Every structure is written in structure tokens, then in C-alpha cells.
Amino acid sequence: MFNRTRCLQITAALASISLLAGCGLLSDDSGADKKPIVVGTTSKPSTLDPAAAWDGSWELYRNIYQTLLAFPTGSTKPEPDAAQGCEFTDSANESYRCTLRKGLKFSNGEALDSKAVKHSLDRIRTIASKNGPKDLFGSLDKIETPDALTVVFHLKTPDATFPFVLGSPAASLVPPGEYPADKVRKDGKTTGSGPYVLTSYKDGEAVLSRNDSYVGFANRRNDSVTIRYFTDSKKMVTALKDKEIDATYRGLSAAEIKDLQSPASHDHGVQVVENVGSEIRYLVFNPKDPQAAKPAVRQAIAQTIDRGALVSKVYQGTAEPLYSMVPKGVLGHKTPFFDMYGQPNVDAARKTLRDAGITQPVELTFWYTTDRYGSSTADEFTELKRQLDESNLFKITLRSKPWIEFQDGYKNGEFPVFGRGWFPDFPDPDNFIAPFVGKENAVGTPYEPADILNDLLPKSRRESDRSAGVREFEQAQQTFAKDVRLLPLWQGKLYVAARDDVAGAERALDPQTVMQMWELYRKTSW
């Protein structure tokens, strides 16, 4: 079943991934900045154990845990990290072999060998946390360890995307001695082999220091990083302006971005780096809800919502309307929601409802999270409510919860309609389709379109040349628009704001849009 929660891009034919030579790999980081870099974000981890999180926790994981493969800034495919090299060993792409670097150790001194790799990935599937990344490994059958440095992954079906899964924080490696095989670690500590060691963690702050035993691709430009977690982005911006933190990412509102881009902020020593983004926002309709289960209700909402007004009023040029779950700029992008439902049209929506025998205003509750995507989320849902209520076709009630509670709510099927965001691991169309289908999927509401699951995704995943699968992805987008189980709203850009004396912000977000803290450094350290 193709129910992967975070799928990744396939570019050129991936017959082999070999060790790269050159600057950055096995670096001694001799030029690292000794003064801590302090970074602010609203993306607080939900757990410290990688077996139990598929969310913003990955931002921390990338910096303290190692993976077999990784995505250095500017890369278009996964490259070696803990592995010396990896390759498919059969023409069907069903057997994948990795050879580890010699002498790798976790920060507690345990050997990072093939048994540790097997333990790390097997426990994800054994624990099977409802909020964890187990679905990413849906194609994995079993893992063999013929010797201490060799790991062989046997797949149930051909899956050329599997190496990209191994390059994501979902495949973070942990020592067997400190991470139980059948339950989540709960002592509030971490042990990894990544660029940094988490020296302390408390509510609101994580302190990272250089891991002297790390061997991998990251070239650390600083010696330590402190991450401060904010629940209010306004306070985070104030902290940046007051020089209490050096940089921010995730959670800035449109108004705050505009403010930080202003000449006044620049005069106060603040710079903003804009990154090309494929971040999207969308609504999810729960088929267990009596109203949301009706196709006519979903289609009428699609005909009523004015994305242009939403983006203009709330996001002020930092986003643009989105008419497909596959965003603009990603291979195969089409606009099926515009083609099928056109411009906002209340009369057309009214006819859709009446044709289905619905003559009274439809009452629905829309849910959103208060602390995952920034303070603009509340404004976004207020605008959605305004548009739908003013049509006189709907009566919308707004409810919200903090992310940890919100996550449990949608996973348990408690919300009739709810808003989600999607930060891709890599801008491949598979990454915007496969995560949302299957009995178990990224949004916790079963959605099993037969054409996508049984035909379109299997065909596309046999193609290592991604352009060869465009037809399948276009058809999948049409199915999404017809069913309206998900309603795309907008796609945005990514921003990192930093003090003028901090460099590396333009390289800090990797191709998975995860912050690589080691890229940040102070210009005075040159």
C-alpha cells in the first residue's frame, strides 16, 4: 500500500550512490566559530525520539542524529553520510545495500554498526507510533546484516524512492543500548552520532554542542548552537531585533516578514534571506463527519473559497493561490481545482448543494493548530470563516489546539475539517500525492482512490527518470480535484531572518527545508 507520509524526489537513475570526495566530508571544522549561535523558531519538538515523530521535530533531529544518506545544500539526490556508499543490487530495485564507514561511534561510545542500523529502523515499525514515520517504510520487507559494515534492505515492491527515505530524519540512527526496541525513550535525553550533541533540553530551549566524534558530510561553521522555542512569533521577532537571538526560521507571519524586510529593520542590523518554497497549506475533510462526508458539501466549499482574497489579506505577497496539491514549480504541476471549479462562485456552489438536496446552511467546525505554522494561521481561518459565512451557504465554527493536542485530534479522527501544512522532503510530485492516500496516511483520514494506489503510483515509482511519470501525476491531481478530500489553498516561500553579522543563512535550509544549523556562523570569525 502506498501510504508513505513523506515521500521524496527521484531524479536521475539511482543505480548507485558512492562516496564523494572533497571539501566538507570528513571535515575537521578547524574554522568553526566558538561563540554560540542562537536561533529562534516556533517549531518545538513533539518528542526527542525519532521513532515517534513526523513533524517539526525533524528540525532538531537533522542536527543531532545521523542517517545513512543525507541531503547537503544544493544536492539533487541523497549522498553518503554514515554510509560509505549505497546501491541497488538488482534490476528490479527491490534490494538495496549500504556499506558503513569504518569506526563510526555514537556519542556514548557505542559502535554505529550494521546491527545498530537494523535496530534503529526495525524499532520504528515495531513501536508503530501513530505520530511516527513508520509509513515511510511501507515498502520495506526486512533488513539483513551479513557483517558489521553491511546492511541489506529487502523491499516488498520496486521502490526507487527508498534511498531518499534513508536520507530523511525518519531514518535517524540511534544506539541499541539506550533506545528500547519496543518502546519510545522517555528520559528526556538523546544519543546520536550527528554533527551536534544535545547537551541540555528543557521547555523552551535546546543547547547543542559540537560532537567531536562525528564523521560525515557536514562542515560545521560554528562550535555550538542554542535553539529557543517560541509560542509567539511576535516575541521571537522582538528577540531578534533586540539581539537576544541571532536568527529565526519557521513561524514568521507575513506582516512580520514585511517588517523585517523594511529599511528600518535593516538599519537595525537585520537581514532576510528568501528561499524558493514549495510549502503548501490545505484543508482536510474527514469522511467520518456527516457533513464533510458529502461530496456536494466539499465541492461547494471549493467553489466558494476565494484564494486570491485569502492570500492578499493574510499573506501579503509571501504566498500565492494554489489549485493543486502539487505546487507550482514542481514537475507535473497542473491546476485541476481551477479547471474544475473556476473562480469563486456562490451561485454555482448553491446549485451544487441544491442538486444534492441540501437547502439549509451547512454547519461545520474548522480546526487549526495555534503553534505550528505561525500566528497567521488564526487570521487565515478567520478569513475562511468570513468567506463561507457570507455566502449564506455555510455556518462555520472555528476551534483550535496546540500542535501536540491537535496532532492527536486529527489522528484520532476527531475533526470534521482541519487545516494542515506540508513541508516537502524534496520537490517531487510523488511527495505531494502519495503521503495523502492509503488507509493510513499523513492526515489521519483514510483515503483510498483505487486508480492512484493500484495504478498511478506503482507505475511512477518504476521510473527513475521522473519526467517519464508526468502523465500519472497529472491523472492523480485530477482525482484529487474530483474527490475534494483535500482542498489546496496556497503555497508559500521560506524565509530566514538573521542579524547582519551572521552568515550562512542562504545555505542553512537543505533540500528538505530542514535547518542545517552548522551552516550558520559569525562574519567576525573569518
Side-chain angles (χ1 to χ4, degrees):
M1 181 174 294
F2 296 92
N3 54 11
R4 178 162 299 166
T5 58
R6 285 177 59 97
C7 303
L8 306 160
Q9 184 187 41
I10 308 305
T11 51
L14 195 65
S16 172
I17 300 176
S18 57
L19 179 64
L20 297 184
C23 182
L25 248 85
L26 311 178
S27 170
D28 63 4
D29 310 307
S30 58
D33 180 16
K34 301 300 180 182
K35 186 178 179 181
I37 297 288
V38 183
V39 179
T41 179
T42 60
S43 189
K44 180 183 175 182
S46 58
T47 174
L48 298 180
D49 190 327
W54 170 77
D55 57 22
S57 305
W58 282 21
E59 302 281 6
L60 180 61
Y61 297 170
R62 174 55 79 200
N63 292 278
I64 60 176
Y65 296 111
Q66 198 169 16
T67 45
L68 290 172
L69 305 169
F71 291 87
T73 300
S75 65
T76 58
K77 62 181 180 180
E79 299 174 2
D81 192 7
Q84 178 177 325
C86 298
E87 63 181 356
F88 279 108
T89 59
D90 65 330
S91 59
N93 289 347
E94 292 182 328
S95 182
Y96 194 69
R97 180 189 299 267
C98 289
T99 302
L100 294 168
R101 300 181 193 272
K102 295 180 180 179
L104 292 180
K105 293 185 179 298
F106 292 101
S107 59
N108 67 347
E110 281 190 57
L112 200 176
D113 56 15
S114 60
K115 293 187 182 302
V117 173
K118 177 176 169 58
H119 173 85
S120 299
L121 302 187
D122 279 347
R123 69 187 295 268
I124 294 171
R125 299 187 293 165
T126 299
I127 294 171
S129 169
K130 64 182 179 181
N131 296 323
K134 62 181 175 63
D135 294 327
L136 268 172
F137 300 92
S139 65
L140 179 59
D141 182 19
K142 62 181 179 179
I143 304 172
E144 292 182 342
T145 56
D147 59 56
L149 296 179
T150 305
V151 187
V152 180
F153 302 94
H154 295 284
L155 308 181
K156 300 172 186 175
T157 58
D159 186 2
T161 70
F162 188 71
F164 294 83
V165 176
L166 295 181
S168 76
S172 296
L173 303 176
V174 297
E178 297 193 20
Y179 288 79
D182 58 355
K183 60 184 178 181
V184 174
R185 181 177 181 176
K186 294 184 177 180
D187 62 359
K189 299 180 181 179
T190 66
T191 310
S193 59
Y196 298 99
V197 173
L198 182 65
T199 56
S200 71
Y201 180 82
K202 56 184 179 181
D203 190 34
E205 185 175 277
V207 178
L208 282 60
S209 61
R210 173 194 181 96
N211 179 7
D212 290 330
S213 64
Y214 169 73
V215 178
F217 78 95
N219 180 13
R220 292 163 293 190
R221 305 298 300 271
N222 60 68
D223 203 53
S224 60
V225 176
T226 296
I227 306 173
R228 293 184 183 169
Y229 298 106
F230 292 80
T231 57
D232 185 339
S233 60
K234 292 181 181 178
K235 293 180 179 179
M236 183 169 69
V237 170
T238 298
L240 178 65
K241 291 182 176 180
D242 291 346
K243 302 182 180 180
E244 296 174 7
I245 61 177
D246 298 305
T248 69
Y249 73 106
R250 293 274 193 253
L252 294 172
S253 70
E256 289 160 352
I257 292 169
K258 291 294 186 181
D259 174 52
L260 291 172
Q261 290 175 325
S262 70
S265 290
H266 186 71
D267 290 343
H268 285 87
V270 176
Q271 58 175 318
V272 178
V273 175
E274 179 181 309
N275 294 271
V276 176
S278 49
E279 167 194 0
I280 68 172
R281 291 287 193 277
Y282 56 95
L283 295 178
V284 182
F285 295 92
N286 187 348
K288 295 181 181 179
D289 180 79
Q291 298 295 350
K294 299 174 181 177
V297 170
R298 303 194 301 265
Q299 292 165 357
I301 291 175
Q303 290 171 313
T304 302
I305 287 177
D306 187 338
R307 294 170 177 81
L310 174 68
V311 168
S312 176
K313 292 181 179 181
V314 179
Y315 291 102
Q316 304 174 36
T318 62
E320 59 182 306
L322 180 64
Y323 297 95
S324 171
M325 290 298 289
V326 178
K328 182 179 178 181
V330 174
L331 180 70
H333 164 74
K334 294 293 182 181
T335 57
F337 280 85
F338 183 85
D339 301 338
M340 203 168 291
Y341 303 108
Q343 295 284 1
N345 189 327
V346 174
D347 290 338
R350 183 178 295 108
K351 183 178 186 303
T352 296
L353 292 172
R354 287 182 175 174
D355 287 349
I358 302 171
T359 58
Q360 298 297 317
V362 178
E363 297 187 18
L364 282 168
T365 300
F366 280 26
W367 285 82
Y368 64 93
T369 178
T370 58
D371 59 351
R372 175 57 53 180
Y373 308 122
S375 59
S376 294
T377 306
D379 296 333
E380 174 180 337
F381 276 77
T382 298
E383 172 62 15
L384 290 173
K385 171 180 167 59
R386 183 196 67 77
Q387 292 183 14
L388 293 170
D389 284 354
E390 288 186 359
S391 73
N392 294 318
L393 302 177
F394 302 94
K395 292 179 66 175
I396 306 299
T397 299
L398 298 182
R399 299 287 300 277
S400 62
K401 285 186 176 183
W403 174 250
I404 292 178
E405 297 175 35
F406 179 83
Q407 188 174 219
D408 287 340
Y410 78 73
K411 287 288 186 179
N412 291 329
E414 298 172 5
F415 306 154
V417 183
F418 58 95
R420 284 294 312 273
W422 186 253
F423 299 94
D425 293 294
F426 209 83
D428 183 85
D430 188 293
N431 191 28
F432 297 92
I433 294 172
F436 308 111
V437 296
K439 186 175 182 180
E440 297 180 1
N441 56 45
V443 294
T445 57
Y447 175 37
E448 302 178 81
D451 60 337
I452 295 178
L453 289 168
N454 301 329
D455 180 39
L456 302 178
L457 282 179
K459 283 183 178 179
S460 69
R461 286 180 174 172
R462 296 189 189 103
E463 301 290 349
S464 44
D465 176 3
R466 302 312 283 153
S467 62
V470 166
R471 179 175 174 274
E472 283 73 27
F473 290 123
E474 290 177 351
Q475 291 179 1
Q477 291 173 77
Q478 290 291 327
T479 296
F480 274 7
K482 175 175 62 71
D483 294 344
V484 201
R485 286 288 305 279
L486 307 117
L487 182 62
L489 297 173
W490 57 266
Q491 72 177 92
K493 303 171 184 177
L494 295 174
Y495 297 88
V496 176
R499 302 295 310 176
D500 278 345
D501 65 338
V502 172
E506 71 284 353
R507 291 181 53 82
L509 290 177
D510 75 356
Q512 299 168 299
T513 71
V514 171
M515 178 71 90
Q516 300 179 137
M517 299 296 181
W518 59 82
E519 293 285 2
L520 300 175
Y521 63 97
R522 298 185 190 282
K523 296 177 182 178
T524 54
S525 67
W526 290 350

